[in-house]
């Protein structure tokens, strides 16, 4: 089944008050045209809903080879299925925004 797993990593997700962008990793099934197209569509959708994103895309095989998720201590934010479902994207955006709440509170102290 074709899907994209979305992970957050970097200073924004590690609780830093200061961050320059929001780093996301999109992990898609393989290097097939369909899998890459889904990842690109997800990237486009996420960028249309959030600003200041830095998005890295890797196939599952490449992610395993680099151990990116483990090395970057990336946090799984959600999964987007083959049919781009607005609900899946909205849940991921809500997860990302939930991470910004501690940042907002810390700035006021």
């Amino acid at each position: 089944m074709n899907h994209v797993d979305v992970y957050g990593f970097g200073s924004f997700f590690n609780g830093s008050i200061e961050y320059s962008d929001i780093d996301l990793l999109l992990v898609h099934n393989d290097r097939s045209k369909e899998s890459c197209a889904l990842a690109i569509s997800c990237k486009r959708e996420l960028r249309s809903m959030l600003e200041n994103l830095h998005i890295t895309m890797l196939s599952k095989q490449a992610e395993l080879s680099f151990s990116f998720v483990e090395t970057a201590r990336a946090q799984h934010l959600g999964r987007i299925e083959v049919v781009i479902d607005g609900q899946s994207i909205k849940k991921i955006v809500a997860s990302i925004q939930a991470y910004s709440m501690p940042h907002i509170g810390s700035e006021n102290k």
Side-chain angles (χ1 to χ4, degrees):
M1 185 158 176
N2 208 3
H3 61 269
V4 174
D5 283 305
V6 181
Y7 295 86
F9 66 97
S11 56
F12 181 84
F13 293 97
N14 292 329
S16 178
I17 294 170
E18 294 183 28
Y19 56 91
S20 58
D21 58 11
I22 300 171
D23 296 301
L24 297 180
L25 169 65
L26 305 183
V27 179
H28 56 97
N29 286 346
D30 52 47
R31 293 173 49 194
S32 69
K33 182 178 179 179
E34 295 80 17
S35 184
C36 292
L38 177 61
I40 291 167
S41 294
C42 292
K43 179 179 180 176
R44 212 175 278 135
E45 288 293 315
L46 288 164
R47 281 213 166 135
S48 75
M49 298 181 83
L50 291 169
E51 294 180 12
N52 207 23
L53 294 179
H54 179 260
I55 300 175
T56 301
M57 297 186 298
L58 294 173
S59 67
K60 284 182 183 180
Q61 183 179 10
E63 191 288 317
L64 288 172
S65 175
F66 296 124
S67 300
F68 192 99
V69 170
E70 183 180 341
T71 303
R73 297 187 328 221
Q75 320 238 352
H76 189 256
L77 300 173
R79 176 173 283 181
I80 302 168
E81 300 294 336
V82 173
V83 176
I84 296 226
D85 168 11
Q87 286 302 104
S88 297
I89 296 279
K90 287 177 185 175
K91 285 181 185 178
I92 291 168
V93 168
S95 293
I96 294 167
Q97 291 171 332
Y99 276 92
S100 70
M101 297 306 175
H103 297 110
I104 292 169
S106 299
E107 290 172 1
N108 295 331
K109 291 183 179 180

